Every structure is written in C-alpha cells, then in structure tokens.
Amino acid sequence: DLMMGLVGSEMCIRDRSNHGLFGKIPFLKIFIIKSKEWINAVKIELFFSKEKILTSYFNTVDFGSNSFGIKTAAKTFFNTTPGNLKPEQCAMLVGMLKAPSGYSPIYKKERAFKRRNVVLGIMLRDKIISQQQHDELVKKPIVLDYNVENVYDGIANYFRRSVYEYLKPWLKENDLDIYSSGLKIYTTLDYQMQIYAEEAVLQNMKRVQRQFDGHWQDMNPWVDGNNKEIPNFIETVVKNSWYYSRLKREFNGNKDSINYYLNKKERINLFSWKGSIDTNISFIEATKYLKRILHAGFLVMDPHTGAIKAYVGGIDYNHFKYDNVRSMRQPGSTFKAFVYTAAMDNGYAPCDSLPDIPVTVNYVEKGVAKSWAPHNSDFKNAGHNVSLKYAFAHSLNTISVQLTQRLGTEKIINYAHRRGIKSPLDTVPSICLGSSDITLLELTSAYCPLVNGGYRIEPMFVTRIEDSEGNVLKEFKVEKVKVLSDETVFLMQQQLLGSLSEPYGTTQALFSYDLFKYKTDFGGKTGTSSNHSDGWFIGVTPKLIGGSWVGAEERCVHFRSSALGEGCKTALPIFGLFMEKVLKDHNYDTLHALFPRHFKGMNRPYTCHTKYVPRDTVDTTMAPVDTSIINQIVLPRDDEETPAAE
C-alpha cells in the first residue's frame, strides 16, 4: 500500500493526459493508471530496501502547510526535530498523510484529533505503545507550536531568488523543478560573509535614513531639478500602481469607487527601522510613507573566480522584494574607471597631466550648433595641470571629459563592454560621467579585470548540482577572457590605490574604518548621479571586490546637496563596515594581500604623489593649455542633466 501510494503521488506530479488513446475512456483510464502504479511499485521493490523506500517517502511527502518531508513537518507543526517527536505527535503527522488538508490540525481540528487517535490505536495493536500509554494519549488535546516555513526564511533571500533565475534555463532544458526534483545545489555564497554583509547594510542604512529624514523633516522629498516639490507626485505614482489598475478593472473605471478604496483605511503591515508596524492606513498614505524610504544593494565577489560571496538585494526582503543588485541606475563617477582604463591602454600614465579648467564641448545636432559645459562637483577648477592619478582620486569631471574627447566616445563604450558591462550605453559625451543606466551586478563584475590580471569574468552563483543520490548533474566552471594587458592592469591598480594616497581623494573616507593594520591594500571609486539620487562605491582589495548602491525607489527622491548625498557618504560606509568585520575574523586571514608596487620594464611614470594645493589656487607656472575642442555628432538630449562627480 505504501509503495502504491508513493508511486501514485509521484505520477500525480506528471502530466495526467499522457495515458494514450485508451486513457481517455472512463474506468479504463483508472485501470491503466493503477496498473502503471503497480508495475512501478514492483520495480522499486526489486531495487530498494524497505528502509530506503520509507526514507525517500518521508523525506518528500506533503504534510500540508507548505511542509514537504518529515523534518519540515516536525518544525512546522511542533517546532522540533523528527528524533524529538512524541508518540502522539508522530500519530498526528502519520494520520495527516491520508489527506493533509482533510485532517489538518489547523483547519479541521476535530477530524485531526479523531484521526490521530485511530493511528494511536494501530500503534497499540502493533505493540509500539502500551495500553496505559494509549489510554493517556488519546485523551490529550493536540497542542501545536505552529510556524509555516517560508521559502525565504533565513539569510540571503535575494541571493536565493537570483540563484533560481540563474538556473532557470538549465532547469528548463533538463525538465527539472528546483523544489520537487530533490536537487542539491551548491552555491558560491560564503555564509559568514553574507551575515557580515547584511549587518553592514542594516547598520549603514539606519544611519542614512535618519539623516535623510532629518534633512527633509516635514517637507516632501520628491522634487524637480530646481529642488521644487513635484505637484501631484503621489497621485501619479498611485495611478501607476497595481492596486489602482485592479480597482479600475473591478469598478469599470468608476472614479468615486476607486477613490473610496484608495482612501479607505485598512490594516497594513509596514516596514520601519524600529520593526514592522501594524497600522490602519489608506493605500495613498502608505504610498506616501514608503516613497520616503531609502534602499540599498551590496555585492561581494571573488575577482579571480567570479564567485558571489555575499549578496544583499535590499533592506528587508519581507517588505521589499525588488532586487537592487539588478536595478538599472546611473553609475555616476564609478564609470570613470572605464575612461581611465581606455587611457592607460592607449599610452597614458598615472603621472601624465591635463589642465583642470572649464571645458566646453561643441557639437551639431540635426544641423543646429550646440554646446555642453560640464563642471566639477564643487564648481571649482585648479586652473593648472594635474596628474591623472590626482584627477581620478578627486573624480574631476573636466579631466574625464577631456580624455573622452581625445579617445572618442565609442572607444570608452567599447572598453566598458569589453570589461563586462552588458547594458546598452548611449553614444553621448556624458557617458564618461556615468549617464547611462547599468546594474550593480555588472558594474562590480566589470571591475574584476583590474584586479585579476585583465580577465573579464562572469559572475558565478553555483558551483555544482547533484541529484538526491549525490550524482553530479552539472558543474559550473569559471569563464575567463583576457581583455586587458598586464601593464594596463598594473597602471589602473595604481590609480585605484591613488584614490586613498592622493590628498583628499574621494575614497579616503575608508580611513574612518579599522582596515589598515592587516597588511591589506584598498582602492576604490565613488560615484554619485546627477541629482544625488544614486550613491555608489566600488571597493577593491587584491582578493575581494565589493560594490554598493544607495538610493530611493523614485529618482526624484534624494538628498539636495553633496554634503550628505555623495556616494562616499551613503554607499562607501557599507563596504567599510563589511571589510572591518571580515578583516577582524581570523577565518579570513588568507584574504590579506597587497597590490604590486612595481612593474618590470615599465617606462611610463606612475610613482608621482601630489603635494596638496587648493584647487582654486591658480598655478602661474602651469603648462600651456590646449583648449581645442573635438566636435561631437551626438550629445545628451535637451532634457538630460549633467551627471556630477563627487
């Protein structure tokens, strides 16, 4: 009977229409199904012992309440393990197997009680329990410690969903189900690093949200380019929501009915940094509350293998399912690493210099002469030549624009794609300042060649997949392609190191963290989008790369100034807090490492170090300035703002 039941339940999973021509005839169809079940049951008995069959059955059978297998069932209904189940608890679970919903102790308490006692009677008959035990147990009420296990309970929720998306093509190709096929999936995630990453995100975001709320106080933070509140912003957001669409369908567009339910107060569970809030609130009020909340994404990779070591897609998966690691946003000045890579690969060196002066790019669009005049984030210029190492460390827009004009916009885009950016990039001069949207996942991956010897590398989520018997079904190998020369990699490493060694570099906020006593080098690049709506940081060490992003759901919700809204103040601290925890953990001592300081045969200057001079001080001994402008065919749309650096 057990074998027939096991095989029958397995066949239910399959397509019941696959019974041939006779399978469409009533009564004969049932005979065919039962015959197949009987044949399969005999086959299974020939190859497996009773103990093995029972083990397989109890590890997979459905007990209801989203609990598959005895281990999950014991935890769901009694918050214990199979070995610690009491006789009456065993009887209840076994009794449920006949019909999990029909004998559910949650919804059919009386039936579950009677069914449990039937099983206790069988246990008495088979001398599993004594008469005295039976008489005592049948009188006991069913006492539950009920807690339904969620697929996303525990850590790394965003990562788990990302793994599923990563494996979808392979699962479909092999006709496998990630939940019911008994697969053992070995991921690249480092459990302790994931804990450190989640702690770092939460610790930082509590602070940033507190600053954001204090910054705006009672004012609404959705503003236009002139920092003026956008009229009817919440109303527009609500009209674009799933709930509004549902109400519109349900009430055939009747505005009175729609508005009634949009403003009707209902019990809602909302996110807050002090814990979930159960409150009576309308959909419009909830939308207004949620749009003020800042979000984050954080990703840690092994640059040599592409292995994802930590992955935090948001601040709370239970309330916000959207994965910010895969969100498309403006990368700001983190994109300048592609500009400088192209420069180093085409003959420039960290100690070469260009003038930090106002730059204007003239261009023609549809026969009309136009111009674009980007500025540095502090609206200042040194007025004299500065080294490329200094310009990178200070994220000077003027220098990035000049390099792009000399090298060509298409060449910059080509280097970004070569290093791993897959999103389409606009062929406009402002691309050098990060005006085209990309994801944190691809940006972090695209920094790997600067650390691993010049190899583009695919992010790796899974190492291997086995079936329930331990047979390897799939092994995932590192995919590497050489895209940069060793010399270019070395020079870019000096640039990244310069972001800390050059005076007042934008990455020097890392000095606030306990990172520099472990014989480990750090470098990085900050980024901020044009209106401070996106803060970024890519931090690098010889053995780890971390990328972080901070911002609101809506791009018009942001800090109003660089004093609080720059990437070095919003996103960099996540990396700093994370690395502080990792370096203190002796289990990760092997990650301590230094970048090379010398390159044999290098004939380009890279060891310069700038003596700090205020950038608004004019150097009268500066080199002659070449103010010639290379014409550009295409430039930003008229409504596109100039992205700002730090």
Side-chain angles (χ1 to χ4, degrees):
D1 288 343
L2 174 62
M3 285 304 307
M4 293 289 284
L6 176 58
V7 175
S9 64
E10 287 294 320
M11 292 188 69
C12 285
I13 298 173
R14 302 173 192 167
D15 184 1
R16 283 280 185 132
S17 64
N18 188 24
H19 298 303
L21 182 62
F22 292 112
K24 301 180 188 293
I25 302 173
F27 302 109
L28 186 58
K29 173 182 178 179
I30 295 176
F31 175 76
I32 292 172
I33 292 172
K34 292 300 179 182
S35 296
K36 287 186 175 183
E37 289 179 3
W38 179 78
I39 292 169
N40 286 330
V42 171
K43 287 181 179 179
I44 290 174
E45 289 231 19
L46 288 174
F47 293 101
F48 300 101
S49 66
K50 287 287 195 297
E51 184 179 344
K52 182 67 175 175
I53 294 168
L54 277 169
T55 301
S56 298
Y57 179 70
F58 276 111
N59 280 340
T60 57
V61 68
D62 183 6
F63 287 88
S65 296
N66 199 34
S67 55
F68 293 86
I70 187 64
K71 183 178 180 181
T72 306
K75 184 175 184 296
T76 298
F77 293 100
F78 301 111
N79 194 25
T80 187
T81 59
N84 291 317
L85 286 170
K86 298 174 182 178
E88 68 273 22
Q89 294 172 336
C90 292
M92 191 206 81
L93 292 175
V94 170
M96 290 174 62
L97 293 177
K98 185 175 182 179
S101 59
Y103 295 106
S104 167
I106 305 300
Y107 305 108
K108 307 282 186 179
K109 294 181 180 180
E110 189 175 341
R111 293 192 70 193
F113 179 81
K114 291 179 179 179
R115 179 66 182 167
R116 182 204 68 177
N117 287 351
V118 169
V119 176
L120 286 171
I122 296 172
M123 293 169 70
L124 172 63
R125 183 198 68 188
D126 293 342
K127 299 181 181 179
I128 297 171
I129 57 176
S130 67
Q131 184 68 54
Q132 183 182 352
Q133 285 177 304
H134 172 269
D135 294 342
E136 292 175 356
L137 293 176
V138 293
K139 296 175 184 177
K140 283 188 173 184
I142 292 177
V143 179
L144 303 176
D145 187 352
Y146 184 68
N147 183 28
V148 177
E149 184 175 86
N150 192 295
V151 174
Y152 295 105
D153 281 346
I155 68 167
N157 299 317
Y158 296 94
F159 176 77
R160 280 187 262 176
R161 193 173 69 178
S162 201
V163 165
Y164 175 62
E165 295 298 325
Y166 179 72
L167 293 178
K168 251 186 180 179
W170 181 84
L171 291 166
K172 185 177 181 180
E173 181 183 336
N174 292 275
D175 194 25
L176 293 169
D177 184 271
I178 198 168
Y179 298 110
S180 63
S181 296
L183 303 176
K184 297 177 183 176
I185 301 172
Y186 295 84
T187 73
T188 59
L189 201 75
D190 184 296
Y191 182 84
Q192 191 57 57
M193 279 194 189
Q194 179 67 24
I195 295 225
Y196 290 155
E198 293 187 7
E199 289 174 348
V201 169
L202 296 183
Q203 185 177 343
N204 178 66
M205 293 309 297
K206 285 181 181 180
R207 174 191 61 84
V208 175
Q209 186 68 54
R210 198 162 51 243
Q211 290 180 333
F212 186 77
D213 293 339
H215 178 70
W216 284 101
Q217 297 184 5
D218 295 329
M219 294 183 290
N220 291 323
W222 33 87
V223 294
D224 59 22
N226 297 315
N227 282 328
K228 301 293 183 183
E229 182 178 341
I230 299 172
N232 303 315
F233 169 75
I234 291 297
E235 289 81 356
T236 302
V237 170
V238 167
K239 284 185 177 180
N240 290 326
S241 70
W242 62 272
Y243 188 57
Y244 186 90
S245 298
R246 197 186 86 182
L247 293 175
K248 190 175 180 181
R249 289 194 305 270
E250 188 174 340
F251 297 106
N252 296 318
N254 185 289
K255 291 184 179 180
D256 290 338
S257 297
I258 294 172
N259 288 333
Y260 171 79
Y261 282 99
L262 289 176
N263 288 281
K264 181 184 177 183
K265 293 184 183 294
E266 295 187 27
R267 198 75 177 168
I268 299 177
N269 184 267
L270 292 175
F271 167 85
S272 86
W273 283 111
K274 295 181 179 179
S276 296
I277 304 170
D278 280 316
T279 182
N280 284 315
I281 193 171
S282 71
F283 185 81
I284 290 178
E285 290 170 329
T287 301
K288 187 174 182 179
Y289 169 80
L290 292 171
K291 290 303 176 183
R292 296 180 68 100
I293 293 176
L294 297 179
H295 298 267
F298 183 46
L299 177 73
V300 181
M301 292 180 65
D302 180 335
H304 303 279
T305 65
I308 305 295
K309 294 298 183 181
Y311 188 113
V312 185
I315 56 176
D316 188 314
Y317 187 82
N318 291 325
H319 288 92
F320 307 105
K321 298 293 191 288
Y322 189 73
D323 186 352
N324 295 296
V325 170
R326 295 179 177 273
S327 174
M328 297 284 290
R329 302 291 287 239
Q330 277 189 349
S333 294
T334 57
F335 197 88
K336 290 174 182 173
F338 303 111
V339 177
Y340 283 83
T341 298
M344 299 301 123
D345 211 37
N346 285 272
Y348 286 85
C351 297
D352 289 342
S353 64
L354 287 174
D356 176 20
I357 58 172
V359 177
T360 300
V361 178
N362 297 317
Y363 65 101
V364 177
E365 183 179 42
K366 296 180 180 180
V368 179
K370 295 186 176 183
S371 63
W372 177 54
H375 54 74
N376 292 325
S377 63
D378 59 2
F379 294 88
K380 295 178 181 179
N381 298 99
H384 55 73
N385 279 24
V386 297
S387 72
L388 296 189
K389 184 186 286 188
Y390 177 89
F392 183 80
H394 281 255
S395 204
L396 301 183
N397 289 343
T398 55
I399 305 301
S400 294
V401 171
Q402 289 179 66
L403 286 172
T404 301
Q405 294 299 299
R406 294 182 180 213
L407 296 168
T409 304
E410 291 186 356
K411 180 169 284 190
I412 303 302
I413 292 173
N414 176 262
Y415 272 88
H417 287 317
R418 280 171 61 184
R419 276 175 45 186
I421 299 297
K422 296 179 180 178
S423 298
L425 301 172
D426 296 329
T427 309
V428 294
S430 64
I431 188 65
C432 65
L433 306 185
S435 59
S436 284
D437 288 0
I438 59 177
T439 71
L440 179 61
L441 178 61
E442 60 186 331
L443 179 64
T444 308
S445 304
Y447 267 70
C448 289
L450 304 183
V451 175
N452 66 18
Y455 291 90
R456 183 178 69 238
I457 198 161
E458 289 296 316
M460 197 161 148
F461 293 81
V462 177
T463 56
R464 74 180 186 278
I465 302 174
E466 298 177 357
D467 63 17
S468 58
E469 301 299 320
N471 300 308
V472 178
L473 302 179
K474 172 73 175 179
E475 284 191 281
F476 295 80
K477 303 294 184 182
V478 180
E479 297 179 26
K480 285 185 174 183
V481 179
K482 183 78 169 176
V483 294
L484 297 175
S485 69
D486 294 343
E487 189 169 320
T488 295
V489 169
F490 172 79
L491 292 174
M492 279 306 298
Q493 287 174 359
Q494 305 313 300
Q495 291 287 86
L496 291 166
L497 289 170
S499 66
L500 273 87
S501 63
E502 287 293 296
Y504 297 96
T506 58
T507 303
Q508 287 189 347
L510 282 179
F511 287 130
S512 301
Y513 301 91
D514 187 16
L515 305 176
F516 300 95
K517 62 184 180 184
Y518 299 98
K519 295 184 178 179
T520 300
D521 272 335
F522 286 89
K525 187 72 193 75
T526 53
T528 312
S529 58
S530 56
N531 60 356
H532 306 105
S533 63
D534 302 275
W536 301 76
F537 183 68
I538 304 295
V540 304
T541 75
K543 296 190 176 182
L544 279 184
I545 289 184
S548 53
W549 168 88
V550 172
E553 285 182 353
E554 306 291 338
R555 301 189 195 208
C556 62
V557 177
H558 52 77
F559 287 103
R560 287 168 290 179
S561 69
S562 60
L564 294 172
E566 291 177 339
C568 63
K569 299 179 178 72
T570 61
L572 178 147
I574 295 176
F575 180 78
L577 290 166
F578 169 78
M579 288 306 304
E580 205 173 49
K581 297 172 188 289
V582 169
L583 292 178
K584 286 179 181 177
D585 190 333
H586 289 298
N587 292 315
Y588 298 113
D589 284 351
T590 55
L591 297 178
H592 302 177
L594 302 173
F595 285 113
R597 293 300 195 273
H598 304 285
F599 190 91
K600 188 176 181 180
M602 175 69 69
N603 56 13
R604 286 187 272 173
Y606 61 88
T607 58
C608 55
H609 180 74
T610 306
K611 180 179 179 182
Y612 181 67
V613 177
R615 284 184 29 246
D616 53 359
T617 300
V618 177
D619 183 355
T620 56
T621 62
M622 65 183 182
V625 173
D626 179 8
T627 58
S628 63
I629 299 297
I630 302 174
N631 287 333
Q632 287 291 127
I633 302 289
V634 184
L635 240 92
R637 303 181 300 275
D638 289 343
D639 61 344
E640 184 173 3
E641 294 183 347
T642 301
E646 287 68 39

